[in-house]
Amino acid sequence: MNDCLISRTSTPLTSSLRRGKRISRFFVPALCLARDLMMLSAKVMLAVIAASVRLVVPPWKKRLLGETVLITGAGHGIGRELAVQLAALGCIVVCWDCDANANRETISFIARDGGEAHGFMVDVSKYSMVQEAAQLMKQAGIPEISILINSAAILMHKPFIEHKDDDIERIFHVNVLSQFWTIHTFLPTMLHNNKGHIVSMSSSCGFYGVAYKVPYCSSKFALKGLMEGLCEELRATKKSSNIQFTTIYPFYVDTDLAKDPKFRFPYLFSAVPAKYAASEVIRAIQRNYEECSIPRCLSYLNAVNRILPAKAMRLILDFLGDVK
């Protein structure tokens, strides 16, 4: 009898404890989630504020004196200007190009001004030639590469259906695979030294698809995935503390690669000299920018356009390109 009374009187207490456990089972995780969301909101707000401040007060420029810079496509255009300007800043410049004569001209410009440059004829679309050139550099006693600038590129302007299979393969081999090969070759040393900077020359065609440049646009879009994916991979493995990545998005540069189209507001969207474009690339390297557009306003225009519906974005692009 006493046992039965004890059992009946303890039942309400047991039920209460069970309800309390059930409530805590849901309440505690919800409380933790609310705390995490508040911390995330605070961190996001701080990141936005920091980015806004950087628009007014840019990061300090890092010194490039003594850096060893490898530039692909150094025989012409932006690549040549980069080589000349970086040599003037005290860098040891290694020039790669498949045009030996153009590469020699670049090296002569640097030597004339007292800079140090080394040249190699390399078809960067071929992995075997990239590896061979890297071995030759070691044999020549050239210091290890600390800055890699992938500038080599080709462009073919024609309707998509008129492209031959060889054209498309060549565009992707030079514009995309070459950057895989050079990064695959020189990144291990950068990781070992815990120091390095990789620069990818993309294009405004890496922001927007452009008529009659379908393979070229596709190749430039691919570079964004390469750079962002690689950056995230190193961040996930905690190996990216001193390895910097910069992707450059030039609009139209006054080179032989593409003709200057006509746009409204030519003071913003006309072709810029290769010398100016190279100075903007160097500025992005010195300040460790992850992305840089030339002109600078292009990145803001792209950010706004990506928020808008596709039809609205095309209306803006049509307006900018409608020159009568």
Side-chain angles (χ1 to χ4, degrees):
M1 182 67 180
N2 290 337
D3 292 341
C4 293
L5 288 173
I6 292 171
S7 176
R8 284 197 296 271
T9 55
S10 64
T11 299
L13 177 61
T14 304
S15 299
S16 178
L17 289 174
R18 289 176 178 174
R19 282 196 299 271
K21 289 181 180 180
R22 285 198 296 268
I23 291 172
S24 64
R25 189 182 304 125
F26 293 101
F27 180 73
V28 172
L31 187 62
C32 293
L33 178 60
R35 180 200 61 194
D36 292 344
L37 288 174
M38 289 179 63
M39 291 181 63
L40 174 62
S41 299
K43 290 179 180 179
V44 169
M45 184 60 66
L46 288 174
V48 171
I49 293 172
S52 301
V53 170
R54 285 303 185 194
L55 293 176
V56 182
V57 184
W60 291 103
K61 287 184 178 180
K62 65 182 181 184
R63 297 184 68 212
L64 301 180
L65 179 65
E67 300 285 354
T68 305
V69 186
L70 170 61
I71 305 171
T72 67
H76 57 278
I78 300 177
R80 171 174 287 182
E81 286 295 336
L82 282 169
V84 172
Q85 293 184 32
L86 286 168
L89 292 174
C91 296
I92 301 170
V93 179
V94 181
C95 302
W96 282 13
D97 203 290
C98 60
D99 187 336
N101 292 329
N103 213 28
R104 277 194 290 266
E105 287 182 7
T106 300
I107 294 170
S108 66
F109 292 148
I110 295 171
R112 181 189 60 192
D113 296 331
E116 181 179 352
H118 307 268
F120 296 86
M121 188 180 74
V122 186
D123 182 351
V124 290
S125 68
K126 298 179 179 179
Y127 183 66
S128 60
M129 291 194 69
V130 170
Q131 289 287 296
E132 182 181 354
Q135 289 299 321
L136 291 174
M137 287 165 54
K138 286 183 180 180
Q139 294 173 12
I142 297 173
E144 294 176 334
I145 299 300
S146 56
I147 300 177
L148 169 64
I149 304 179
N150 285 306
S151 181
I154 59 173
L155 183 152
M156 298 180 188
H157 186 92
K158 63 176 71 173
F160 175 73
I161 59 175
E162 292 183 12
H163 278 283
K164 299 178 180 178
D165 55 347
D166 291 342
D167 295 339
I168 297 173
E169 286 185 0
R170 181 63 178 165
I171 288 172
F172 272 84
H173 284 164
V174 175
N175 295 4
V176 183
L177 291 181
S178 67
Q179 299 202 23
F180 276 86
W181 306 153
T182 56
I183 293 173
H184 193 268
T185 299
F186 294 105
L187 179 59
T189 301
M190 293 181 180
L191 291 173
H192 180 266
N193 296 333
N194 195 29
K195 175 187 176 183
H197 200 136
I198 296 174
V199 181
S200 173
M201 293 296 296
S202 183
S203 166
S204 60
C205 293
F207 281 151
Y208 304 102
V210 179
Y212 307 112
K213 295 184 178 71
V214 175
Y216 181 77
C217 291
S218 303
S219 68
K220 294 303 181 179
F221 267 83
L223 295 179
K224 184 176 180 65
L226 165 62
M227 294 294 281
E228 289 187 2
L230 184 57
C231 180
E232 285 302 303
E233 181 175 309
L234 294 188
R235 191 171 72 90
T237 56
K238 311 297 184 183
K239 294 181 179 180
S240 61
S241 57
N242 290 312
I243 308 295
Q244 306 297 328
F245 296 89
T246 300
T247 307
I248 308 294
Y249 298 94
F251 188 57
Y252 278 93
V253 181
D254 189 11
T255 64
D256 295 332
L257 191 62
K259 295 181 180 180
D260 180 18
K262 301 302 178 184
F263 283 86
R264 292 186 190 226
F265 315 114
Y267 54 90
L268 290 177
F269 296 106
S270 61
V272 300
K275 185 175 182 179
Y276 170 77
S279 68
E280 287 290 282
V281 175
I282 293 172
R283 169 180 167 273
I285 294 172
Q286 289 178 314
R287 299 191 186 280
N288 291 331
Y289 289 149
E290 291 184 10
E291 291 187 341
C292 172
S293 64
I294 307 172
R296 300 177 193 177
C297 65
L298 185 65
S299 59
Y300 305 116
L301 176 63
N302 176 64
V304 171
N305 273 344
R306 292 307 180 187
I307 297 174
L308 298 173
K311 186 174 181 179
M313 179 183 71
R314 292 190 178 100
L315 287 171
I316 294 174
L317 296 178
D318 289 345
F319 170 78
L320 293 174
D322 184 17
V323 179
K324 298 179 182 179

